[in-house]
Amino acid sequence: MKEISAILKSFEKAEKKGKKTALATVVHVEGSSYRRPGARMLITEDGELTGAISGGCLEGDALRKALSAIVQQQNKLVTYDTTDEDDAKLGIQLGCNGVVHILFEPIVTDQIFNPIRLLQELANSNEDSVMVTLFSLDQLQQPGTSLLYRNGLSRTALTAALQSDLVVAAEAALQNKSSDFRTFQYDDQAVTGFIEFIPAPLELVIAGAGNDVQPLVDITSVLGWHTTVVDGRASHATAQRFVKADRVLVAKPDEVLKKTGTGEHTFFVLMTHNYNYDLALLKQLIIQNCAYIGVLGPKKKLQRMLDELSSDGVVPDEKQLALIHGPVGLDIGAETAEEIAVSIVAEINTVLRRRSGTSLKDKEYGIHSSLSG
């Protein structure tokens, strides 16, 4: 979502200056590639690039293709084949081993559902969403970014019949929380639909405003996570101490959830270094529908907390226990506050992406999850 937000900011600046723009989207990949389907980049007519569609090797050629799309005011699908060992043939020195298909769409602002408009609506939502991009590997016609769907609402200029088919696919993607490819009929031709599942933005609540929280907020800011810092100490929970946090709150344990809310996209980390504060908040969180509860400190501390909660009649079931991560973080040998912050962020990302957190060299298959048409 951070990349999309950056693209939208750049588009707003370009529009104010009267610059023409195009959106490049990776829509299909065969084999290895630095970026996967859904990666985006905004290109202005004077060569400003925001976002990324590769590790930097495609961007130069992509600028030329984008300018062509802008001049012709026509969507274009460009294929980069990196399976040929003769890199000089492409002239872009990719160094990967795959085929990457990138769709270039000139942004026409008077089209009510142009790609940027759909991305704007997506960014304004705090719900899981699905973006559908239609393209063809065989035909000249490239419909492009065509539909945004969330919570029973679709935004599109497509015909009712095609919209109905796309909504069925979008609902399945929302249910499965995963992206997919489907084939549809568009103007009597078969086109591929990239059904892209885009989760709601991550909400991170850090209970604690000590010095060790500062590097954690610095990292989550870089990642674009919406971060709230909350503590009972007004002297510690200040905007001056946490300039990169989205919100800084002063609250007692029984006030925290009223001010922050909970939900399936909300992650909590308890690191106040105040046992009673963390215990009181954990007691409330156990029965909430949140995604993750990290508890800083040794395992015996968490066990003591669970024992006390059990004595109070609060006994978490297996599902609730699975949400609690204590000691918080991955085992990377962290010692300093900065290293601990990396450890915590890494673990949250494994939960968010449904990964194991193991070394990539031990993976039997590719780095990325498989997604092919």
Side-chain angles (χ1 to χ4, degrees), residues 128-133 146-156 162-182 184 193-198:
D128 288 344
S129 304
V130 172
M131 189 78 80
V132 180
T133 304
S146 301
L147 179 141
L148 172 66
Y149 181 84
R150 65 178 184 275
N151 195 27
L153 175 67
S154 59
R155 305 290 281 170
T156 181
L162 181 55
Q163 179 182 167
S164 178
D165 291 340
L166 264 59
V167 165
V168 171
E171 287 179 337
L174 280 179
Q175 181 69 26
N176 298 327
K177 294 185 180 298
S178 63
S179 301
D180 196 6
F181 289 95
R182 300 282 185 89
F184 301 95
F194 173 37
I195 316 299
E196 181 187 4
F197 172 73
I198 304 176

Side-chain angles (χ1 to χ4, degrees), residues 207-353:
N211 291 343
D212 57 346
V213 174
Q214 291 173 332
L216 179 56
V217 173
D218 288 342
I219 296 174
T220 61
S221 173
V222 170
L223 294 173
W225 294 357
H226 188 281
T227 304
T228 297
V229 175
V230 59
D231 197 294
R233 299 167 295 179
S235 58
H236 286 61
T238 67
Q240 292 73 25
R241 281 172 48 80
F242 298 96
V243 295
K244 294 183 180 180
D246 294 280
R247 289 194 300 170
V248 181
L249 306 174
V250 178
K252 297 178 181 178
D254 59 354
E255 300 172 331
V256 172
L257 300 190
K258 297 175 184 177
K259 294 186 176 183
T260 64
T262 60
E264 61 177 330
H265 299 288
T266 310
F267 290 64
F268 284 83
V269 178
L270 312 186
M271 49 191 304
T272 65
H273 300 281
N274 182 322
Y275 178 85
N276 291 327
Y277 192 108
D278 287 351
L279 177 64
L281 189 51
L282 179 61
K283 183 177 182 179
Q284 300 172 67
L285 288 174
I286 282 177
I287 60 174
Q288 298 296 323
N289 179 34
C290 55
Y292 171 101
I293 306 169
V295 182
L296 184 70
K299 185 172 292 186
K300 62 182 180 181
K301 171 191 172 182
L302 175 59
Q303 188 57 56
R304 177 187 169 192
M305 296 171 79
L306 293 174
D307 289 343
E308 289 196 33
L309 292 178
S310 178
S311 298
D312 289 340
V314 180
V315 182
D317 56 29
E318 290 186 9
K319 183 178 180 181
Q320 292 168 329
L321 282 173
L323 297 177
I324 305 173
H325 297 256
V328 65
L330 295 186
D331 183 7
I332 61 171
E335 293 287 345
T336 67
E338 291 78 11
E339 293 171 344
I340 292 171
V342 170
S343 170
I344 293 172
V345 168
E347 181 175 66
I348 290 176
N349 213 61
T350 62
V351 174
L352 181 67
R353 304 297 184 188

Side-chain angles (χ1 to χ4, degrees), residues 3 7 40 57 86 90 113 189 217 245 255 260 270 327 330-331 335 340 346-347 358 362 366:
E3 187 171 67
I7 285 173
R40 294 178 173 84
C57 46
D86 183 11
L90 278 173
F113 293 122
Q189 81 172 47
V217 173
E255 300 172 331
T260 64
L270 312 186
L330 295 186
D331 183 7
E335 293 287 345
I340 292 171
E347 181 175 66
T358 57
D362 295 327

Side-chain angles (χ1 to χ4, degrees), residues 119-139:
L119 289 177
Q120 288 171 335
E121 296 204 17
L122 169 69
N124 291 332
S125 170
N126 289 320
E127 302 173 293
D128 288 344
S129 304
V130 172
M131 189 78 80
V132 180
T133 304
L134 300 177
F135 64 95
S136 173
L137 300 179
D138 306 313
Q139 305 290 333

